[in-house]
Amino acid sequence: MPAPWGWRCEDGRCVKHAAAGGSDLVPLNQCKLTCGGAGVLWPLPASASVGRRVSLFLPQNAALRPTCPAQVCPLLQEAFVLFRDALQRYHPDYTSGEAPWAGPWDAATEAHALVVAVTVEGAQAHLTLDTDESYSLSVNTSADGAVTTATIVAPTFFGARHALETLAQLVDYHETRDALMVVQTAAVTDAPEFAYRGLLVDTSRNFVTVAALRRTVDAMAASKLNTLHWHITDSHSFPLALHSLPNMAYYGAYSARQVYTPAQVRDLVQYARVRGVRLLPELDAPAHVGNGWQWAEKEGLGRLAVCVNQEPWQELCVEPPCGQLNLANPAIYDIIGQIYEEMLDIFAPVDIFHYGGDEVNLNCWNSTQEINSWMTANGHGVDEEAYYRQWAVFQEKALQLMQKAAKGRKVEGVLWTSELTKPGRLNLSHNSSQYIIQIWSTQDDPVIGEMLAMGHRLIFSNHDAWYLDCGMGAWVGDGNNWCSPYKGWQTVYDNSPHAIATSLTGSPNTELILGGEAALWTEQADTNTVDAKVWPRAAALAERLWSNPSTSWQEAETRFIHHRQRLVQRGVQAERIQPQWCHQNEELCYL
């Protein structure tokens, strides 16, 4: 049936009219694609100009013309396959890799070609903090209207991949012609504001399947996030199967089916790399260990962890179940060294590793007779500062074990903010060049300014804006969970690391702030809910970290609502933000 409505771009927004209202009315998708300077591109590019006219074509007529070093051409070919799949997914009836394109089409539509000419200048095939992710993209249509050429130039594969994502967002489905449409002209020059643009997913408190992690990576790629921080273990479970230490998962997984094998991890690393995403592994220690560490006593290695599953938990940890490494048992360092070696192997190549390192409960250690006696016998004392000093000794040994496992390769280390990273103790175990510090306190925490003054590099994850698990009913006791209220996408979007730094120090500290990360802790999430918990809110984070806009969420709302639709088309069960009426009637859902 012909649509009773059409849309016209008026003052930068798509306005709905009755179909008889003029010959210049177009379908909604076409209006969104071409209205305003950047259409519905997400995240907002550094510079973009999008034309108002489109050409119709069929997905099989999109072709890659690559110029690239041998090391990255295979990656580029894979990325183009993903690009073509994204085009197929625009069809409303797409299922299982296919869309039922039926036509009928005119000869011009059937013949129109989309040529994607990509030049990758460098041979870098793995993402690092120094990777240049910039690109330029120009779209032009031949005078006879037969060919649209998209020309991409990027210094690295990762920039080229981002350009393909941008190009995919300059294409959409034409509702009345059963074909794709691409803008006839566009010019984009783009680069991210922050090198580190992350998302944390916790798979210890509740298991998350590899399929769900893949969907997460897909959505990250669509939003140009580049780091999946995998909090893979904790006191609750140890689901990582290790060839060198099979007992860790044997004792620590919730079930034999709820594990990640080395082969699965390697596959996910490659899956993410083609999508411009690195996997950042974390082995949280010396706290947040427990289940999975119980096997050693039977093997004659003593207790590796203490306070495991011990009650009353409120006296020994921040949430059940408890568990911390046994500082009095030197065997912990042999085990940690083996874990590091295998993790660096299966996540290879690793350029950043997360040591965890927060929420140590001193009472757990001090109330454990073995540790208390060891502290006394070695003249360390048993006061609070004595335990902090030994915690610092542990962290220094962990760093040395990582350096040994890395075999000369540089692996940046990350630590959560904790009692050990407070300025008075910060140099007990490390100086400003040894670790990146990840902030999880609040945006007004004076420690942020103090760390910047000391020259520490920071990643922001302040929980008052970027913790995605907040705002649920309590899972211990009643009321709401500890970090309530819920962090809406508007709060996520407006949280600016540079603005926070400026408010605390008078300077944005651009050279020290590497970026930021949203976190999904999974006390109340699992495979079945991770999509809606994370998306599309993490896309709001993505624009903050890619574009660092000077404007607030109101200016981004129309594009954001459309990007949520795009994520659903990509197979992500992203949460609804507004009624569909608001998507069709821009800027009319307001207070």
Side-chain angles (χ1 to χ4, degrees):
M1 295 175 60
W5 314 107
W7 280 259
R8 180 187 296 121
C9 183
E10 300 176 7
D11 298 323
R13 69 186 183 100
C14 293
V15 179
K16 186 177 181 181
H17 295 276
S23 60
D24 60 340
L25 296 181
V26 298
L28 178 62
N29 284 353
Q30 182 175 344
C31 186
K32 287 186 178 289
L33 202 62
T34 58
C35 190
V40 282
L41 294 179
W42 194 276
L44 188 67
S47 172
S49 174
V50 178
R52 297 288 292 274
R53 297 177 65 84
V54 300
S55 294
L56 301 180
F57 74 105
L58 300 178
Q60 62 265 31
N61 291 340
L64 176 66
R65 194 171 68 202
T67 303
C68 45
Q71 299 94 317
V72 299
C73 269
L75 288 172
L76 187 59
Q77 294 283 358
E78 288 186 69
F80 190 73
V81 170
L82 298 176
F83 167 79
R84 291 188 63 166
D85 181 66
L87 301 190
Q88 291 277 0
R89 288 174 181 270
Y90 284 129
H91 197 291
D93 297 321
Y94 172 94
T95 55
S96 304
E98 296 292 336
W101 305 95
W105 306 289
D106 58 31
T109 299
E110 288 200 72
H112 193 89
L114 173 61
V115 176
V116 185
V118 183
T119 299
V120 178
E121 297 167 337
Q124 184 178 0
H126 299 284
L127 193 67
T128 72
L129 288 172
D130 299 319
T131 298
D132 187 340
E133 297 176 81
S134 67
Y135 67 90
S136 66
L137 164 66
S138 64
V139 180
N140 293 284
T141 301
S142 60
D144 62 3
V147 179
T148 297
T149 302
T151 303
I152 293 168
V153 179
T156 68
F157 159 75
F158 299 96
R161 191 227 70 85
H162 297 323
L164 286 172
E165 176 58 44
T166 299
L167 179 59
Q169 295 183 16
L170 294 173
V171 176
D172 211 329
Y173 179 74
H174 195 290
E175 295 97 320
T176 61
R177 304 288 289 277
D178 193 36
L180 292 173
M181 54 186 163
V182 59
V183 297
Q184 290 188 357
T185 59
V188 179
T189 303
D190 205 8
E193 287 289 325
F194 293 93
Y196 186 101
R197 306 180 305 280
L199 171 67
L200 177 148
V201 176
D202 161 25
T203 62
S204 171
R205 289 169 173 86
N206 278 304
F207 187 77
V208 178
T209 62
V210 171
L213 293 174
R214 285 187 168 210
R215 287 198 309 275
T216 301
V217 170
D218 291 340
M220 292 176 70
S223 308
K224 298 188 176 76
L225 291 172
N226 70 356
T227 303
L228 177 59
H229 173 178
W230 194 350
H231 185 88
I232 195 167
T233 68
D234 210 290
S235 57
H236 307 71
S237 73
F238 196 109
L240 180 61
L242 300 171
H243 289 311
S244 59
L245 292 165
N247 277 335
M248 300 300 295
Y250 182 72
Y251 282 80
Y254 284 128
S255 76
R257 292 182 179 273
Q258 292 173 297
V259 298
Y260 306 105
T261 67
Q264 287 176 319
V265 174
R266 289 189 179 98
D267 286 347
L268 189 59
V269 168
Q270 179 62 16
Y271 185 91
R273 182 165 66 121
V274 174
R275 290 158 178 79
V277 177
R278 73 156 69 78
L279 263 57
L280 190 167
E282 178 182 356
L283 181 70
D284 204 350
H288 294 281
V289 302
N291 289 289
W293 296 80
Q294 309 100 314
W295 57 272
E297 202 165 3
K298 296 178 182 178
E299 303 291 331
L301 296 176
R303 284 193 299 171
L304 297 176
V306 297
C307 307
V308 179
N309 301 330
Q310 195 169 319
E311 295 289 339
W313 66 265
Q314 294 92 338
E315 297 178 6
L316 303 168
C317 60
V318 296
E319 68 176 56
C322 300
Q324 290 180 184
L325 288 176
N326 183 359
L327 293 180
N329 185 353
I332 62 174
Y333 298 108
D334 295 329
I335 300 302
I336 290 172
Q338 289 183 64
I339 296 174
Y340 285 171
E341 286 187 12
E342 189 155 350
M343 289 183 82
L344 289 191
D345 177 47
I346 62 178
F347 283 91
V350 175
D351 70 306
I352 313 177
F353 185 88
H354 208 300
Y355 294 93
D358 69 336
E359 296 186 324
V360 165
N361 184 296
L362 300 188
N363 187 51
C364 167
W365 279 340
N366 196 44
S367 63
T368 300
Q369 187 59 49
E370 181 182 354
I371 295 177
N372 186 288
S373 299
W374 175 80
M375 293 284 286
T376 302
N378 285 279
H380 299 316
V382 291
D383 61 284
E384 186 176 89
E385 291 304 318
Y387 280 108
Y388 286 132
R389 285 192 293 272
Q390 291 311 303
W391 178 5
V393 169
F394 164 83
Q395 186 55 51
E396 178 61 27
K397 290 183 177 179
L399 176 63
Q400 293 170 1
L401 289 167
M402 176 55 63
Q403 291 171 338
K404 179 182 178 183
K407 297 179 173 64
R409 301 190 311 275
K410 182 181 180 181
V411 177
E412 297 274 15
V414 186
L415 287 172
W416 292 108
T417 47
S418 68
E419 288 295 322
L420 197 62
T421 63
K422 288 186 174 179
R425 303 188 184 101
L426 202 53
N427 290 322
L428 283 176
S429 65
H430 52 278
N431 58 46
S432 61
S433 65
Q434 281 183 296
Y435 295 100
I436 299 163
I437 307 299
Q438 187 164 2
I439 305 292
W440 68 276
S441 54
T442 56
Q443 60 187 280
D444 58 356
D445 185 354
V447 170
I448 298 171
E450 293 165 352
M451 283 193 281
L452 288 169
M454 296 174 70
H456 285 272
R457 295 170 296 161
L458 302 184
I459 294 169
F460 276 73
S461 295
N462 47 300
H463 71 254
D464 52 353
W466 284 353
Y467 268 30
L468 303 181
D469 53 305
C470 303
M472 307 299 294
W475 65 276
V476 283
D478 58 6
N480 295 323
N481 63 6
W482 74 275
C483 59
S484 292
Y486 181 86
K487 317 307 179 196
W489 79 267
Q490 301 92 332
T491 297
V492 174
Y493 189 92
D494 283 348
N495 188 64
S496 166
H498 285 168
I500 293 169
T502 300
S503 70
L504 294 170
T505 70
S507 166
N509 286 273
T510 55
E511 72 285 355
L512 292 177
I513 298 175
L514 302 182
E517 181 174 281
L520 180 68
W521 303 102
T522 58
E523 287 91 344
Q524 296 173 284
D526 63 8
T527 295
N528 301 298
T529 59
V530 64
D531 285 19
K533 293 270 190 178
V534 172
W535 304 103
R537 288 184 294 162
L541 168 92
E543 179 149 304
R544 169 56 55 190
L545 296 176
W546 182 276
S547 313
N548 197 29
S550 58
T551 52
S552 68
W553 63 267
Q554 287 95 337
E555 289 80 2
E557 184 174 45
T558 295
R559 289 182 300 105
F560 182 76
I561 298 305
H562 190 79
H563 188 62
R564 182 267 172 187
Q565 304 291 87
R566 186 183 289 132
L567 292 174
V568 173
Q569 290 170 328
R570 302 284 180 93
V572 178
Q573 298 303 302
E575 186 176 50
R576 263 286 185 188
I577 301 299
Q578 292 179 334
Q580 189 170 348
W581 186 88
C582 303
H583 183 246
Q584 295 182 352
N585 295 270
E586 293 180 4
E587 300 182 16
L588 295 184
C589 296
Y590 65 92
L591 286 175

